[in-house]
């Protein structure tokens, strides 16, 4: 009987060590939004709590109006939550079944409830010129905006949501 109790205790300990049942964010309530250049320069490194939001804001290169692609930390998963588009210009528009298009009351529209996970919590962006001005903005103003175009115009950057307690990715 005593060996069975030890076996159960050992199995429980192994499960705890292995993280069985753990979610990506269970080790930490906070993740980090990082924007890194191909050369390894860190342009953004900000803490994002569960439910925290940020947007990539930029000027459309043809129509010159502002577009917003907004993301959130959904329990450790980067999700494209919504997008604001003032017009149905080149490369823009709502795809049926992907979120809900609603008027913004000013001639443009929001695509809400997209809630689409970003693969591996990261994507690569080719940063536009200063005229495009790709920048990271925080809808609630908790951090200062960062112009990616001012630091990396024409370059590729990786935008990623990372767990600061996880081992580094290769």
């Amino acid at each position: 009987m005593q060996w069975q109790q030890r076996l159960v205790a050992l199995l429980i300990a192994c499960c705890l060590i292995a993280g069985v049942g753990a979610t990506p964010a269970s080790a930490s309530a906070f993740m980090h939004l990082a924007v890194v250049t191909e050369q390894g320069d860190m342009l953004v490194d900000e803490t994002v709590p569960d439910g925290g939001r940020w947007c990539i804001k930029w000027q459309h290169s043809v129509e010159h109006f502002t577009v917003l692609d907004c993301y959130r930390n959904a329990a450790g998963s980067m999700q494209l939550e919504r997008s604001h588009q003032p017009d149905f210009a080149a490369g823009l528009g709502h795809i049926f079944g992907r979120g809900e298009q609603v008027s913004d009351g000013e001639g443009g529209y929001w695509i809400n409830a997209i809630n689409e996970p970003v693969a591996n919590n990261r994507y690569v962006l080719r940063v536009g010129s200063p005229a495009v001005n790709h920048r990271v903005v925080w809808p609630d103003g908790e951090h200062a905006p960062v112009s990616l175009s001012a630091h990396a115009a024409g370059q590729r950057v990786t935008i990623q949501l990372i767990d600061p307690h996880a081992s580094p990715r290769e």
Side-chain angles (χ1 to χ4, degrees), residues 54-150:
W54 67 94
C55 300
I56 303 299
K57 186 175 185 177
W58 49 280
Q59 304 307 119
H60 190 276
S61 61
V62 176
E63 298 296 330
H64 308 290
F65 51 60
T66 302
V67 178
L68 283 166
D69 293 316
C70 297
Y71 299 84
R72 71 177 170 170
N73 171 4
S77 174
M78 181 192 297
Q79 288 187 353
L80 174 60
E81 180 177 44
R82 62 194 301 217
S83 182
H84 182 262
Q85 303 170 5
D87 194 341
F88 291 98
L92 302 178
H94 176 242
I95 299 169
F96 182 75
R98 185 177 183 241
E100 175 188 10
Q101 180 180 320
V102 296
S103 171
D104 69 359
E106 298 177 10
Y109 59 97
W110 281 99
I111 303 171
N112 292 325
I114 298 171
N115 302 332
E116 191 173 274
V118 175
N120 299 315
N121 277 355
R122 64 172 56 194
Y123 68 95
V124 175
L125 171 72
R126 188 190 63 76
V127 178
S129 70
V132 172
N133 195 17
H134 277 110
R135 54 214 182 269
V136 178
V137 298
W138 305 88
D140 295 328
E142 59 268 38
H143 302 290
V146 176
S147 173
L148 304 178
S149 294

Side-chain angles (χ1 to χ4, degrees), residues 12-45:
I12 290 171
C14 287
C15 287
L16 291 174
I17 292 169
V20 171
T23 63
S26 64
S28 170
F30 289 89
M31 302 287 280
H32 279 263
L33 177 66
V35 180
V36 183
T37 67
E38 288 183 303
Q39 295 76 28
D41 297 325
M42 184 77 68
L43 303 180
V44 174
D45 182 16

